């Protein structure tokens, strides 16, 4: 689905207000991030403290109980254990709230940053496909959630390594503290290594998806040629390559994690051996458990490094969105189109020469409440003309304050989710009853579709005709002043096509309609009255 299909329009705001809002948003995100990280460190510190103190407390009680007439005060240590336990619970809950709040802010900022860049490039408006937008939103989510999946574990591991080694050193075991610090540093190095080896799977996954879709589309033709075996072998080979890549990555991750756990075991052994000769049993237990807590957090750096690498790839794609394959490389001719109170005017649009026609200029005029049907053979430029008009009308000067401009183009996309979630992309205020009314208008209620119906990935759970009618229903939800529809009757039988075309006009009696069709419908009632045609052949 293109951005234009949602009927979205940029609303100019005072620059000072925008800058102030952004500063406040950035400041709030930074404050929430810092607070969440500090609380996460406090929560893990309480966990390690609880582990070490409770182990020391249990060992001290056992030693005291084994001796005759020994005196041991359990009041203070037991109070410390309770304090660490309560502190861990409270800090853990607070850190999760703060970090998720900050992560959601970061996701929102990443998405708005993309829209800001897209709005700053008027020549690209209308050229963003739904799949590209879906990918951009996923990348923004990945980049925002890196705060929880990467930054927080790294910060906690660093803080606990310093704090744990300091606690061991203050207990009189400096050599042990150095051993633990060196082991944690080696674990961090393993994380850095696996992070650097983490590649970007997006291109590989996208290529595999394209291969599968192409195979599905080509299957009937290949079956008629008796070549389905070759096609199946090709698809299986591509799947095997993808699975092999994932398997190799899983092996590397397992080996790295095994090496980190071996480091933990070695660090624990050295810590116990170095303190056993000069300390009592309770102190040895304390040092051992603190070492386990520090090294356990260090092991989490492996997953954190992978998450950081994935977020880095997502950030790079977000930064380059619009300058690479996210946007069509070919230049889109934008006609001089103006929408005003007396209608839509397109003047001097140049049609290039083709094998069946000479180059010529085309001028169009459509009054409110009228319909223009653009006809022509495949390749004559109908889709290009409609896309160009949509881009031109998104400029504020081309249609000042006259309402939404919606376009249903050939590459429109349905997002994974329900019928209602797709319609509410165009009109967030649409109720379930409103959506049912829209579905009934285009006869989708007869096929069993309702607001809660799942459309599948890219709308694949629906037929081609159902997808087209849902695209139109979503565009109607904006109640646009100008509606551009490319091939509105694709995948529809004659009666359904007539009903859909009549429903568009009934719901938009004063709108300017521009329809691109290979040929006029057989039933002239579907476009009457006030219909004119122009041929691009």
């Amino acid at each position: 689905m293109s951005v234009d299909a949602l009927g979205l329009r940029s609303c100019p705001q005072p620059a000072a207000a925008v800058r102030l809002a952004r500063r406040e948003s950035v400041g709030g995100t930074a404050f929430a991030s810092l607070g969440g990280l500090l609380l996460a460190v406090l929560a893990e510190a309480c966990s390690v403290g609880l582990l070490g103190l409770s182990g020391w407390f249990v060992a001290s009680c056992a030693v005291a109980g084994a001796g005759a007439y020994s005196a041991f005060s359990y009041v203070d240590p037991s109070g410390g254990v309770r304090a660490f336990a309560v502190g861990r619970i409270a800090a853990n809950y607070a850190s999760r709230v703060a970090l998720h709040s900050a992560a959601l802010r970061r996701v929102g900022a990443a998405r708005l940053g993309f829209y800001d860049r897209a709005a700053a490039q008027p020549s690209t408006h209308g050229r963003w496909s739904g799949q590209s937008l879906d990918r951009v939103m996923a990348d923004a989510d990945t980049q925002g959630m890196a705060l929880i999946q990467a930054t927080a574990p790294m910060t906690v591991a660093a803080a606990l390594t310093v704090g744990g080694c300091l606690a061991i050193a203050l207990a009189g075991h400096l050599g042990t503290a150095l051993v633990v610090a060196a082991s944690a540093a080696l674990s961090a190095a393993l994380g850095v290594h696996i992070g650097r080896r983490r590649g970007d799977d997006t291109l590989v996954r996208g290529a595999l998806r394209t291969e599968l879709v192409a195979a599905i589309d080509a299957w009937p033709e290949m079956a008629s040629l008796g070549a389905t075996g070759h096609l199946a072998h090709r698809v299986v080979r591509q799947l095997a390559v993808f699975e092999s890549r994932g398997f190799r990555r899983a092996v590397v991750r397992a080996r790295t994690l095994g090496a980190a756990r071996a480091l933990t075991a070695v660090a624990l052994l050295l810590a116990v051996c170095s303190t056993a000769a000069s300390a009592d049993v309770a102190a040895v237990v304390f040092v051992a458990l603190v070492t386990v807590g520090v090294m356990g957090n260090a092991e989490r750096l492996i997953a954190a490094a992978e998450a950081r690498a994935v977020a880095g790839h997502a950030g790079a794609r977000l930064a380059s969105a619009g300058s690479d394959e996210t946007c069509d490389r070919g230049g889109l001719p934008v006609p001089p189109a103006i929408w005003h109170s007396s209608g839509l005017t397109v003047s001097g649009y140049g049609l290039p020469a083709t094998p069946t026609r000479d180059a010529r200029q085309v001028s169009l005029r459509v009054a409110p409440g009228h319909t223009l049907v653009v006809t022509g053979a495949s390749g004559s430029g109908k889709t290009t003309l409609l896309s160009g008009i949509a881009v031109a009308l998104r400029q504020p000067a081309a249609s000042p304050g006259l309402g939404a401009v919606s376009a249903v183009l050939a590459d429109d996309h349905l997002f994974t989710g329900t019928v209602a979630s797709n319609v509410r992309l165009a009109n967030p205020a649409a109720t379930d009853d409103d959506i049912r009314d829209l579905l009934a208008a285009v006869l989708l209620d007869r096929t069993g579709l309702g607001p809660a119906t799942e459309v599948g990935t890219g709308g694949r759970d629906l037929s081609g005709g159902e997808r087209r009618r849902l695209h139109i229903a979503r565009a109607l939800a904006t109640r646009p002043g100008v509606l551009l529809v490319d091939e509105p009757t694709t995948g529809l039988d004659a009666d359904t096509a007539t009903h859909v075309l009549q429903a568009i006009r009934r719901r938009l009696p004063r709108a300017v309609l521009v329809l691109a069709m290979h040929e006029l419908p057989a039933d002239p009632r579907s476009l009457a009255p006030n219909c004119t045609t122009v041929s691009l052949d």
Side-chain angles (χ1 to χ4, degrees), residues 51-216:
L51 186 67
L53 180 59
S54 60
W56 174 86
F57 182 40
V58 170
S60 296
C61 289
V63 171
Y69 306 107
S70 61
F72 176 72
S73 174
Y74 63 87
V75 177
D76 292 338
S78 63
V81 169
R82 293 188 183 93
F84 275 131
V86 173
R88 181 185 63 173
I89 294 172
N92 222 345
Y93 175 79
S95 70
R96 290 186 179 183
V97 171
L99 286 175
H100 278 82
S101 174
L104 289 176
R105 288 171 180 258
R106 286 162 62 99
V107 170
R111 292 183 175 185
L112 289 175
F114 163 75
Y115 286 126
D116 285 344
R117 292 195 304 276
Q121 301 172 3
S123 62
T124 66
H125 288 176
R127 296 163 57 193
W128 304 96
S129 70
Q131 291 178 345
S132 296
L133 290 174
D134 219 356
R135 188 182 67 200
V136 166
M137 297 302 101
D139 287 339
D141 292 348
T142 300
Q143 193 179 39
M145 295 305 291
L147 176 66
I148 297 173
Q149 297 170 349
T151 305
M154 291 177 177
T155 303
V156 168
L160 285 189
T161 299
V162 173
C165 292
L166 184 60
I168 294 173
L170 291 176
H173 309 287
L174 180 59
T176 303
L178 293 176
V179 168
V180 174
S183 300
L186 287 175
S187 256
L190 288 174
V192 171
H193 172 69
I194 196 173
R196 288 180 176 175
R197 294 191 59 178
R198 173 75 188 204
D200 188 0
D201 292 338
T202 302
L203 296 179
V204 178
R205 190 180 298 112
L208 176 61
R209 186 184 301 114
T210 301
E211 182 79 17
L212 291 173
V213 172
I216 292 171

Side-chain angles (χ1 to χ4, degrees), residues 237-433:
R237 186 172 66 247
Q238 294 288 342
L239 284 169
V241 171
F242 183 76
E243 288 294 328
S244 176
R245 182 186 177 97
F247 177 74
R248 288 196 302 270
R249 187 167 56 249
V251 169
V252 171
R253 185 187 303 114
R255 288 176 178 173
T256 307
L257 186 59
R261 289 177 176 170
L263 274 175
T264 299
V266 171
L268 179 60
L269 179 62
L270 292 176
V272 171
C273 291
S274 61
T275 56
S278 59
D280 58 17
V281 174
V284 172
V285 171
F286 168 76
V287 170
L289 291 179
V290 170
T291 300
V292 169
V294 170
M295 294 303 298
N297 275 280
E299 289 177 13
R300 294 167 58 190
L301 290 175
I302 295 171
E306 282 197 302
R308 172 61 64 188
V310 172
H313 295 311
R317 287 193 298 270
L318 280 175
S320 63
S323 60
D324 56 5
E325 77 283 354
T326 306
C327 190
D328 297 336
R329 292 184 182 273
L332 178 68
V334 179
I338 299 176
W339 174 32
H340 39 70
S341 58
S342 59
L344 169 66
T345 300
V346 179
S347 58
Y349 177 69
L351 285 175
T354 69
T356 59
R357 72 163 185 236
D358 295 329
R360 71 175 192 269
Q361 297 285 322
V362 174
S363 295
L364 311 172
R365 177 173 174 77
V366 192
H370 287 236
T371 302
L372 173 68
V373 180
V374 181
T375 63
S378 296
S380 60
K382 303 186 301 298
T383 298
T384 302
L385 174 60
L386 260 66
S387 300
I389 293 174
V391 172
L393 294 184
R394 287 190 56 78
Q395 311 304 316
S399 52
L402 295 179
V405 176
S406 291
V408 182
L409 303 178
D411 62 347
D412 271 5
H413 181 73
L414 292 176
F415 289 94
T416 303
T418 63
V419 167
S421 66
N422 274 274
V423 173
R424 288 184 179 123
L425 287 172
N427 181 8
T431 64
D432 284 353
D433 288 339

Side-chain angles (χ1 to χ4, degrees), residues 452-478:
T453 302
E454 295 285 342
V455 302
T457 304
R460 292 179 184 173
D461 288 355
L462 308 182
S463 68
E466 288 174 333
R467 287 197 297 270
R468 202 60 181 156
R469 281 182 282 168
L470 184 53
H471 290 147
I472 293 172
R474 181 171 57 191
L476 292 175
T478 66

